[in-house]
Structure formats: C-alpha cells, structure tokens
Amino acid sequence: MFRRKLTALDYHNPSGFDCKDETEFRNFIVWLEDQKIRHYKIEDRGNLRNIPSSGWPKSFEQYLQDVNCPFTVEERQESVDWLLGLAVRLEYGDNVEKYKNCPPATATETEKPSDPLIHLDSSNPDFKAGVLGLASLLKIQRHDDYLVMLKVRTSGNRGLPVALDKHILGFDTGDATLNEAAQILRLLHIEDLRDLQTRINEAIVAVQAVIADPKTDHRLGKVGR
C-alpha cells in the first residue's frame, strides 16, 4: 500500500514491504530514520537500532512523539504512511535544486480534464490512511465510510478563487497534498461558521421584533400605556 512513496524514497523493496512483519517493520523504521528523516543525532539512535530488544516498541513510541506524529504505535499503517510523507517532504527539501527544474507533466491533446475525485478508490489503504490522518488532525469524527468524512456542505453560489498559500494552516501533516486538503477543509469550515453566525443574527433580530417593548421601539407606531 506504500509502494509509490517507497519507490520515491529508493527503498530496496517497495512492492514487497510488509509492515505487519515485525522484523521487517523495525528494520524499515531504522532505515527511514538513518537515511531519510534523520531527526535524531547518530549517537541518539541506539535504542531505535536495537531491533531485537523487548523495549523497542517503547523506543518507537517515543520516536513518534519526537517527530510529532499524530498516530500511536497501535495505528501502525497510519503512522508508517505519515512517516513516509514526512520523509518524502524532507527528501525534496534536501534536493530542491534537483527537482525544481524538472518539467511539469503536461496532458496530451487527447486527454481531457476530469474531476480527480472520480478516480478515488475508497477501499485503497493509502486513501484510508490519508483520510484518517486528516480527520485526526482536524478533529473530525470518524465514520465507517471514508468518503463521508470528505463530504462538505456546498452552497448554491460559487465564491471567488482563494490563494491557499496566503492562508496559514497552523500545523504540518508531513504531506503536501494533505496540507492542501486541510487548508481547504478549514476554509470551508470557516465559511460554515460565518453562515451559522448570520443565521443566528437573523434569529436574534426576528425574536427582538416579536418581544420588542412598545415604550422604546418607535417602529411599533405608538407609545405604551
């Protein structure tokens, strides 16, 4: 389920990696920290490198906390996906000159633009892990249907285009795509809050009109008894 990110990071076995295999999983985490993330100093990686140790899960739990991963050791697939996203981002940061001159992929004349959501496979483990990660960061209630967690209320009128780079997210998921999705969801949430406030204001005005005191409200056209 992690093949594309593992391939991007030049992992030796991107198609055969099995995070459920305890030994392979522990070796993978050591490789990821040693070669890509490098959050710890070399001399501080001893506990993580001690793969046979019965205390390794505790060391890994501490590692997740140290890199600010939002997932726990029990959420293995989600934590692996998050760490891979972090590694990809750091890999790009280390090789920005190498990648910035790469020509962007262009669509052929026969290709027509389409809605990318059409091609989403909600049963794909990568998709599930990404949605769960985003839901956890944004404090969205989990649902058995992963697509439900992505649904938002749409309004009848189209708004003006928004430059996402001008809006600070406030946290980093470690994945550029998730960061952008989080920004969009946050802006939509703010829009909903504004709409709710407008409705509340309208309700207050309506209630005031009903219970207004004729002694002080000149709109009623008469003075109180």
Side-chain angles (χ1 to χ4, degrees):
M1 61 176 285
F2 311 111
R3 182 178 56 81
R4 286 179 295 178
K5 291 179 180 177
L6 289 170
T7 301
L9 293 170
D10 295 324
Y11 186 65
H12 70 279
N13 186 22
S15 299
F17 172 67
D18 181 10
C19 70
K20 295 179 181 179
D21 183 301
E22 191 63 29
T23 301
E24 183 175 6
F25 170 70
R26 294 186 182 189
N27 277 289
F28 163 74
I29 294 299
V30 173
W31 173 84
L32 200 61
E33 166 60 16
D34 279 346
Q35 302 297 323
K36 304 299 177 180
I37 297 179
R38 299 189 290 273
H39 181 77
Y40 289 158
K41 295 179 180 179
I42 295 177
E43 58 269 24
D44 295 332
R45 300 174 190 170
N47 291 335
L48 209 58
R49 287 175 171 173
N50 191 6
I51 292 173
S53 172
S54 59
W56 193 91
K58 277 289 184 183
S59 299
F60 180 55
E61 181 179 21
Q62 184 61 51
Y63 179 68
L64 291 179
Q65 294 175 7
D66 290 342
V67 296
N68 296 317
C69 177
F71 300 107
T72 64
V73 290
E74 288 79 17
E75 299 170 296
R76 178 169 291 192
Q77 289 188 345
E78 292 87 350
S79 61
V80 167
D81 187 69
W82 188 90
L83 289 172
L84 283 171
L86 174 63
V88 169
R89 181 171 61 85
L90 293 173
E91 179 77 357
Y92 174 79
D94 288 343
N95 298 280
V96 63
E97 294 297 326
K98 172 183 175 181
Y99 294 117
K100 75 175 185 179
N101 295 321
C102 292
T106 56
T108 63
E109 294 182 358
T110 57
E111 291 178 342
K112 295 181 179 180
S114 61
D115 184 353
L117 295 180
I118 295 176
H119 304 293
L120 280 178
D121 178 9
S122 60
S123 64
N124 186 294
D126 280 335
F127 172 79
K128 291 181 179 180
V131 172
L132 286 175
L134 191 59
S136 176
L137 287 167
L138 296 180
K139 309 300 181 185
I140 296 174
Q141 183 176 359
R142 295 193 178 190
H143 193 279
D144 292 337
D145 187 340
Y146 290 83
L147 288 175
V148 169
M149 286 191 282
L150 288 179
K151 289 182 179 179
V152 294
R153 182 186 61 79
T154 57
S155 63
N157 299 323
R158 287 175 171 259
L160 295 174
V162 176
L164 292 180
D165 58 349
K166 296 185 182 298
H167 295 269
I168 300 174
L169 183 56
F171 58 84
D172 186 7
T173 66
D175 187 295
T177 302
L178 282 180
N179 283 345
E180 185 171 306
Q183 285 177 300
I184 293 171
L185 287 178
R186 172 165 287 184
L187 289 173
L188 288 172
H189 180 59
I190 292 173
E191 180 186 358
D192 280 347
L193 289 177
R194 287 173 177 167
D195 180 66
L196 177 61
Q197 184 63 55
T198 298
R199 292 174 184 270
I200 290 173
N201 292 341
E202 291 173 349
I204 292 174
V205 171
V207 171
Q208 287 176 338
V210 173
I211 64 173
D213 185 351
K215 294 180 181 179
T216 59
D217 195 338
H218 68 278
R219 293 174 299 173
L220 299 181
K222 61 181 180 180
V223 181
R225 297 175 184 173

